[in-house]
């Protein structure tokens, strides 16, 4: 399952500055510098659809009979001087859990940093 998802994620870096990495057991991070909110949401939605298209059976899932992904997207246009990697990760993680709590198999994002 993770290999299938990683095969989808390997298609994400289209520029030399884009980075995809496994983060934790079954979580991945995509860093897309100089990508606005709309662009990041388009990438996330493409990932979500492409994982569904893998059609990996998941009979015990209450969400769907196949593997799906929940994605949190956070963008920052005017980067505050005090922005830390930890605070960016924490905000994105909250959005990921909002996607999971909202029914899974969805993308939840924010382009605001207030």
């Amino acid at each position: 399952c993770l290999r299938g998802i990683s095969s989808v994620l390997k298609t994400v870096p289209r520029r030399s500055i884009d980075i995809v990495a496994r983060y934790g057991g079954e979580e991945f991070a995509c860093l897309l510098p100089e990508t606005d909110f709309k662009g990041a949401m388009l990438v996330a939605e493409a990932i979500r659809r492409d994982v569904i298209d893998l059609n990996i059976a998941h009979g015990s899932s209450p969400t769907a009979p196949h593997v799906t992904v929940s994605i949190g997207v956070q963008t920052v246009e005017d980067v505050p001087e005090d922005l830390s990697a930890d605070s960016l990760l924490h905000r994105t993680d909250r959005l990921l859990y909002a996607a999971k709590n909202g029914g899974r198999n969805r993308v939840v994002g924010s382009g605001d940093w207030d």
Side-chain angles (χ1 to χ4, degrees), residues 25-65:
E26 57 187 33
E27 293 179 343
F28 293 86
C30 298
L31 303 176
L32 308 172
E34 300 175 15
T35 303
D36 64 9
F37 179 71
K38 182 178 177 182
M41 291 296 284
L42 287 171
V43 169
E45 185 58 31
I47 291 168
R48 190 191 67 76
R49 285 190 319 268
D50 289 351
V51 168
I52 289 171
D53 289 346
L54 292 171
N55 205 27
I56 300 171
H58 192 341
S60 63
S61 171
T63 305

Side-chain angles (χ1 to χ4, degrees), residues 14-25:
R14 302 197 188 263
R15 306 168 301 172
S16 62
I17 58 174
D18 296 340
I19 298 170
V20 176
R22 187 168 173 191
Y23 180 79

Side-chain angles (χ1 to χ4, degrees), residues 61-75:
S61 171
T63 305
H66 51 271
V67 170
T68 64
V69 293
S70 302
I71 301 174
V73 173
Q74 177 68 63
T75 60

Side-chain angles (χ1 to χ4, degrees), residues 100-111:
K100 288 181 177 186
N101 293 333
R104 300 182 182 265
N105 188 27
R106 66 189 63 228
V107 177
V108 174
S110 174

Side-chain angles (χ1 to χ4, degrees), residues 68-85:
T68 64
V69 293
S70 302
I71 301 174
V73 173
Q74 177 68 63
T75 60
V76 182
E77 255 185 73
D78 297 316
V79 179
E81 285 186 32
D82 62 343
L83 177 66
S84 69

